[in-house]
């Protein structure tokens, strides 16, 4: 029988001596697993765990190491064909009591799920970054007692359930969309459990649980009935009366001491009494629960594993210094010292050194049992494909098995084609659990590995995808089916104004359950003028939308059956006809004119698209098809591509541009800023490399002589793609044969620029892109005057950005900057005042002296600004202190922390765009919006900041644009 991939790998583990190491560990001896490189570590740890048959807790140095392990482990699990173990991450709580910072709700949920798995009977492998070790967790008994199984027929009222959810950390909302939220409507409670993929709906009959059903949070429709659920807390230590009293008593005793932090401590106490908590209190586990324990004591039956112990010990020491620095920066002197809140450095160092198993690349010779496995890293074949063919041939002649991990089916097929051309064909094998054909010496398998390796003793060569194609950032192929232009009732609150298509303006009075013809259904209750009431069934919510108006006047409610609403609609129709006349004339002229009908895709087009290092999402594929269809039509294209930052709009434009260039047409890419123009030029040149196309740029980063030369070549047709700012709209810029105009962030251009754009639009294909389109652009698209493509699918593993709105404090700035630099990332600091930006730079250098800080703003010289931005892009600086020139289009995956000073002075859409500059990878990102004390904020600023926290950064751009308009009008 031909072995499956899992059997092949298991045999390699047995040959490496893993059963002997497992037997030694089971006898209580300590050991080392050494010699392994790349993704071989994760493979052998999984194989060792299968021999041990017990859970493991793997301590890594930081987030990047944890992410690498998680990716590798999930791929090896699929290849080994084993259902166990479950792989989870226990992220650092990232709660800083000294700076008033609490964890993101998703972080709390992830931690609870990991702790719950540790208490389960199944075998699990929990990944823990060193920083996470400093936080105590509840005792196993307390955590187990906080879990509540629920099934139909249980005696449980909605009031009692809600009373349990609040202290457990759940947040009440109108409609649940994310883990840790709940909503109640009479005898129905919707609940999104931390461990669930979709929320559950509990229907009660008096004080009995009648039914449990999962439901779709976007359509609100019920799905499958559930036999039972387990209610997990969101907070590790529920904030019940007794723990809160203990914390209050502790803080009060400190407050009575007086001193410099007395006012701040008194404010914390007041907030604790009034709100039941305060930001950062999650770290006070020891004060909330004297029985809280270190993680190592939570699951004593699990085997503790430490990767590169010396590196972990250095990280422990560094984190302890940062905690003390935050304490010293704190304006709340008198709060408990780190030794009273966190697990001490000495205790953690001792636990790390006593761990039963170390995993190290180099031999340590410090343990009773050291298993050294011969292993070599795989070679890099980027731009060296003949070397790949030679190595595959060599492996086959030695009767080795070659396994190649590729992240998507499309790229698997492309690699198979490349290997056939090299004369070394490979077999695509989608199911590693099934034995491959006998002659299959090399397999292309679905999965993502950090790095390949060679196991000479086992005769196995493993190659990771990026070692062939270069760095790969995968995108998720799941579809977010939320209708962005349908009424969004998730943010609707009782008392808000709404508009019914047939009856006019009303006030939303909440959701009710009514019985009709013996059937109970959900209805939306609307209050009209007088005592009129209208109950709209959920099936007809398309008739209702949120009211959005401008000005200070509160509109008068309409009367059911009255004539005022019809009169209003007639008046609005007349105004709209007048406003749209010029636009209709323009677009009618476009429809009547003859544009260029591009031909079908060429082989070069398919080669260009095959080099895309991402897996296209369903939205992207649909947008690409729609754009190509427009270009192949004889009518001029005018399409708007809408999608949040990082969702793949630029790739759609690249493919359209390449299609135009292949037919000898020129392409103009218009962007709002010089910085964005520079980045686009780099992107276009990289993608067009290897094809006969010239890409140039016109912006103030170029000298007058350089601009003149580019403009001359453009007019002569020697430039195929020109990227530029408003300079492209100058009268001295002419084209030989312009076929496509791409406008990025169209909402950023003024009236005069748009007047100039109208001349282009009469007979040239136009493709516009925007994350938060202005209302008029949006209305034209919805009305059908402009064509529209929407990209809603976020990248794979994209995490919501942890957003903090905090008072300007030195401690917050120092802590956030240092934490990001420590994990190998970069930081944006937005200070939108050129006259004081030098003073802010001096403050940053004092707060974080180890940080390499660069300053950028629009009043700098062109060459100096270009050098600064390029140096930051290359990673020569840790912090970019700038004005809002970074607002649009910049895509730097390493930048995952942004601080915005005086955030109260920005509009909601602008804040949303700035926040979107970070979180462009699958790493947790942080946004800190620094504001004056709450008493100094204007009502409009408070509304914007509150709305920003409520809006997810994953696909909310359109709702943000609408909300910003509403706030401005209010």
């Amino acid at each position: 029988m031909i072995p499956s991939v899992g059997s092949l790998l298991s045999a390699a583990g047995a040959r490496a001596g893993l059963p002997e190491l497992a037997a030694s560990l089971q006898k209580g001896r300590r050991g080392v697993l050494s010699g392994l490189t790349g993704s071989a570590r994760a493979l052998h740890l999984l194989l060792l765990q299968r021999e041990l048959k017990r859970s493991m807790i793997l301590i890594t140095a930081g987030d990047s190491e944890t992410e690498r392990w998680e990716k590798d482990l999930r791929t090896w699990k699929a290849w080994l064909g084993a259902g166990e173990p479950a792989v989870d991450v226990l992220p650092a709580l990232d709660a800083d009591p000294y700076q008033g910072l609490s964890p993101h709700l998703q972080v709390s949920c992830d931690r609870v799920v990991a702790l719950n798995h540790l208490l389960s009977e199944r075998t699990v492998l929990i990944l823990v970054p060193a920083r996470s070790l400093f936080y105590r967790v509840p005792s196993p008994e307390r955590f187990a007692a906080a879990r509540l199984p629920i099934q139909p027929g249980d005696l449980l009222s909605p009031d009692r359930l809600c009373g349990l959810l609040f202290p457990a950390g759940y947040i009440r909302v109108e409609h649940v969309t994310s883990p840790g939220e709940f909503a109640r409507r009479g005898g129905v409670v919707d609940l999104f459990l931390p461990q669930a993929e979709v929320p559950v709906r509990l229907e009660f009959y008096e004080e009995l649980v009648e039914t449990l059903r999962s439901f779709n949070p976007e359509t609100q429709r019920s799905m499958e009935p559930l036999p039972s659920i387990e209610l997990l807390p969101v907070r590790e230590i529920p904030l019940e009366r007794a723990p809160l009293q203990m914390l209050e008593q502790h803080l009060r005793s400190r407050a009575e001491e007086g001193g410099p932090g007395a006012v701040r401590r008194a404010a914390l106490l007041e907030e604790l009494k009034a709100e039941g908590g305060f930001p950062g209190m999650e770290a006070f586990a020891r004060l909330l629960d004297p029985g809280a324990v270190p993680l190592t004591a939570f699951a004593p039956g699990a085997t503790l594993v430490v990767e590169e112990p010396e590196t972990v010990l250095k990280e422990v020491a560094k984190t302890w210094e940062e905690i003390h620095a935050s304490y010293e920066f704190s304006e709340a002197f008198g709060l408990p010292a780190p030794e009273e809140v966190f697990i001490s450095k000495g205790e953690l160092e001792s636990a790390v050194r006593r761990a039963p198993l170390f995993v190290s690349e180099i031999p340590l010779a410090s343990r009773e049992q050291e298993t050294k496995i011969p292993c070599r890293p795989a070679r890099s074949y980027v731009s060296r494909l003949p070397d790949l063919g030679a190595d595959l041939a060599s492996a086959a002649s030695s009767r080795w098995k070659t396994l190649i991990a590729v992240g998507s089916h499309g790229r698997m097929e492309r690699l198979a084609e490349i290997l056939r051309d090299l004369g070394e064909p490979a077999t695509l094998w989608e199911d590693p659990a099934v034995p491959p054909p006998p002659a299959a010496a090399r397999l292309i398998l679905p999965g993502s590995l950090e790095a390949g390796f060679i196991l000479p003793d086992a005769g196995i060569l493993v190659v990771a995808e990026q070692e062939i194609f270069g760095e790969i950032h995968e995108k998720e192929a799941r579809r977010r089916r939320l209708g962005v232009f349908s009424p969004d009732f998730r943010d609707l609150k009782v008392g808000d104004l709404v508009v019914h298509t047939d009856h006019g303006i009303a006030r939303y009075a909440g959701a009710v359950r009514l019985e009709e013809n013996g059937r109970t259904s959900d209805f939306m209750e609307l209050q009209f003028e007088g005592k009129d009431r209208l109950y709209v069934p959920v099936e007809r919510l398309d008739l209702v939308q949120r009211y959005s108006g401008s000005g200070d006047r509160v509109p008068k409610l309409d009367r059911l059956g009255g004539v005022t609403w019809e009169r209003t609609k007639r008046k609005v129709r007349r105004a709209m006809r007048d406003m749209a006349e010029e636009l209709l004339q323009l677009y009618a002229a476009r429809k009547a004119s003859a544009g260029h009908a591009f031909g079908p895709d060429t082989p070069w087009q398919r080669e260009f698209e095959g080099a895309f290092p991402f897996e296209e999402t369903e939205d992207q594929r649909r947008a690409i098809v729609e754009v190509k269809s427009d270009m192949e039509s004889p009518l001029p294209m005018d399409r708007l591509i809408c999608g949040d930052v990082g969702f793949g709009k630029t790739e759609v434009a690249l493919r359209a541009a390449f299609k135009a260039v292949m037919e000898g047409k020129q392409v103009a890419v218009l962007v709002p800023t010089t910085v964005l123009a520079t980045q686009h030029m780099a992107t276009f040149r990289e993608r067009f490399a290897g094809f006969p196309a010239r890409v140039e740029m016109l912006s103030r980063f170029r000298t007058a002589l350089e601009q003149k030369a580019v403009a001359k070549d453009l007019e002569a047709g020697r430039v195929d793609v020109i990227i530029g700012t408003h300079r492209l709209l100058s009268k001295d810029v002419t084209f030989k044969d312009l076929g496509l105009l791409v406008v990025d962030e169209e909402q950023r251009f003024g009236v005069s620029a748009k007047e100039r754009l109208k001349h282009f639009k009469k007979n040239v294909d136009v493709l516009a892109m925007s994350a938060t389109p202005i209302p008029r652009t949006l209305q034209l698209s919805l009305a059908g005057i402009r064509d529209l493509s929407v990209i809603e699918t976020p990248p794979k593993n994209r995490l919501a950005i942890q957003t903090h709105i905090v008072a300007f404090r030195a401690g917050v700035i120092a802590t956030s900057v240092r934490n990001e630099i420590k994990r190998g990332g970069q930081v944006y600091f937005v200070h939108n005042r050129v006259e004081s930006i030098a003073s802010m730079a001096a403050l940053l250098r004092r707060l974080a002296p180890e940080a390499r800080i660069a300053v950028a703003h629009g009043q700098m010289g062109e060459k100096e600004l270009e050098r600064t931005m390029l140096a930051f892009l290359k990673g020569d600086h840790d912090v970019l202190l700038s004005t809002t020139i970074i607002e649009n289009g910049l895509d730097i995956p390493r930048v995952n922390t942004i601080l915005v000073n005086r955030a109260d002075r920005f509009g909601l859409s602008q804040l949303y765009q700035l926040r979107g500059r970070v979180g462009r990878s699958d790493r947790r990102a942080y946004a800190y919006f620094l504001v004056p004390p709450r008493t100094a904020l204007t009502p409009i600023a408070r509304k914007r900041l509150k709305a920003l926290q409520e809006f997810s950064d994953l696909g909310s751009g359109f709702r943000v644009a609408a909300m910003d308009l509403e706030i401005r009008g209010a």
Side-chain angles (χ1 to χ4, degrees), residues 125-145:
L125 202 164
I126 305 297
L127 305 174
V128 183
R131 176 178 292 268
S132 188
L133 295 173
F134 283 90
Y135 302 95
R136 283 180 170 81
V137 297
S139 65
E141 297 78 17
R142 180 176 184 127
F143 187 86

Side-chain angles (χ1 to χ4, degrees), residues 371-562:
T371 302
K372 186 178 186 303
I373 301 175
C375 180
R376 302 197 307 268
R379 299 170 63 186
S380 172
Y381 303 105
V382 178
S383 302
R384 296 166 53 205
L385 290 179
D387 290 347
L388 174 62
D391 285 354
L392 292 179
S394 175
S397 65
S398 301
R399 298 182 178 275
W400 284 14
K401 286 286 187 180
T402 299
L403 309 176
I404 307 176
V406 180
S408 71
H409 182 75
R411 289 197 300 273
M412 289 173 69
E413 291 182 333
R414 180 179 168 227
L415 178 58
E417 184 178 344
I418 290 173
L419 295 182
R420 280 196 299 271
D421 292 342
L422 291 172
E424 302 293 336
T427 303
L428 269 71
W429 206 245
E430 300 280 4
D431 188 356
V434 177
R442 56 183 74 100
L443 301 175
I444 301 174
L445 298 156
S448 179
L449 293 176
E450 184 71 19
F453 56 89
I454 300 169
L455 294 174
D457 289 356
I460 295 176
L461 166 64
V462 176
V463 182
E465 178 178 5
Q466 61 267 25
E467 288 156 353
I468 300 174
F469 297 117
E471 199 63 33
I472 299 294
H473 300 283
E474 294 183 356
K475 286 202 169 185
E476 184 176 25
R478 60 183 165 89
R479 164 96 171 139
R480 286 165 59 92
R481 287 174 291 275
L482 174 64
V484 285
F485 299 122
S486 61
D488 191 346
F489 299 116
R490 291 178 295 181
D491 303 310
L492 198 63
K493 298 178 178 61
V494 174
D496 287 351
L497 296 177
V498 297
V499 180
H500 191 284
T501 302
D502 298 327
H503 302 293
I505 299 174
R507 195 174 301 280
Y508 173 59
V512 297
R513 287 180 67 83
L514 300 176
E515 185 173 337
E516 181 184 23
N517 299 326
R519 178 175 174 268
T520 302
S521 301
D522 291 322
F523 292 82
M524 174 185 281
E525 181 181 353
L526 305 183
Q527 296 178 354
F528 287 84
E529 177 67 18
K531 297 183 178 180
D532 294 344
R533 297 285 190 277
L534 180 68
Y535 296 95
V536 182
V538 292
E539 292 82 4
R540 298 312 314 272
L541 292 186
D542 57 303
L543 297 175
V544 183
Q545 59 183 304
R546 190 170 186 162
Y547 173 82
S548 177
S550 59
D552 298 326
R553 187 179 67 85
V554 178
K556 184 180 179 181
L557 301 183
D558 287 301
R559 182 179 294 275
L560 278 177

